[in-house]
Amino acid sequence: MLIPTIHFNGNCNEAIAFYKEALGAEVKEINYAKDAPPNSGMGELPPNFVMHSEVFICGTNFSLTDGAETPIPFGNFSFIIVYDTAEEVTAIFEKLAVSGEVEEPLATTFWSPLYGSVVDRFGVNWQVMVKHS
């Protein structure tokens, strides 16, 4: 099993809430620093620091965490989400683009009836497309 992990810089709870709204993410588990055993070495972290979470997004399990002292850049990969209809693609693309940056506006391509690329407000790269028939 391969589970992608997205590292956030102290705003993982905000990202989880955003992905619940924008992508219909289902939260399976969240472990906070405040829940760690007393001798775990986590006592100096903020109480709501997300040590680990399991979130189900578009058919895939993701781990989201605040668990990096130095933010890890997202620049060299993206997630592709494939939908059946242009309406679904348009709705998701517009939500991900709020306070983000559109890299490629929604358009017809030779590989998809509707495709676009966006970096969300957390710096995560998403490609959204209609399934090619």
Side-chain angles (χ1 to χ4, degrees):
M1 177 185 308
L2 177 68
I3 300 175
T5 300
I6 304 174
H7 296 258
F8 296 90
N9 190 19
N11 58 352
C12 187
N13 276 321
E14 181 183 344
I16 290 170
F18 175 71
Y19 295 135
K20 283 174 65 175
E21 169 63 28
L23 300 174
E26 180 183 340
V27 177
K28 300 287 191 177
E29 174 182 4
I30 300 179
N31 296 308
Y32 295 101
K34 67 184 175 191
D35 300 324
N39 297 332
S40 66
M42 302 295 158
E44 296 194 21
L45 294 172
N48 287 330
F49 182 95
V50 177
M51 295 172 37
H52 169 78
S53 70
E54 183 179 334
V55 181
F56 193 68
I57 302 173
C58 299
T60 300
N61 282 320
F62 284 79
S63 173
L64 283 66
T65 181
D66 281 321
E69 291 180 15
T70 304
I72 298 172
F74 298 120
N76 201 24
F77 73 93
S78 63
F79 298 106
I80 298 173
I81 307 174
V82 180
Y83 290 98
D84 291 327
T85 69
E87 292 79 16
E88 292 171 301
V89 166
T90 301
I92 295 301
F93 188 86
E94 289 174 356
K95 289 177 183 179
L96 290 171
V98 172
S99 299
E101 181 180 336
V102 173
E103 291 189 322
E104 293 185 45
L106 290 173
T108 301
T109 65
F110 69 89
W111 65 87
S112 174
L114 188 62
Y115 167 87
S117 177
V118 62
V119 177
D120 71 24
R121 68 182 187 213
F122 300 102
V124 178
N125 298 304
W126 299 92
Q127 297 178 57
V128 185
M129 61 186 275
V130 174
K131 178 174 45 178
H132 193 277
S133 47

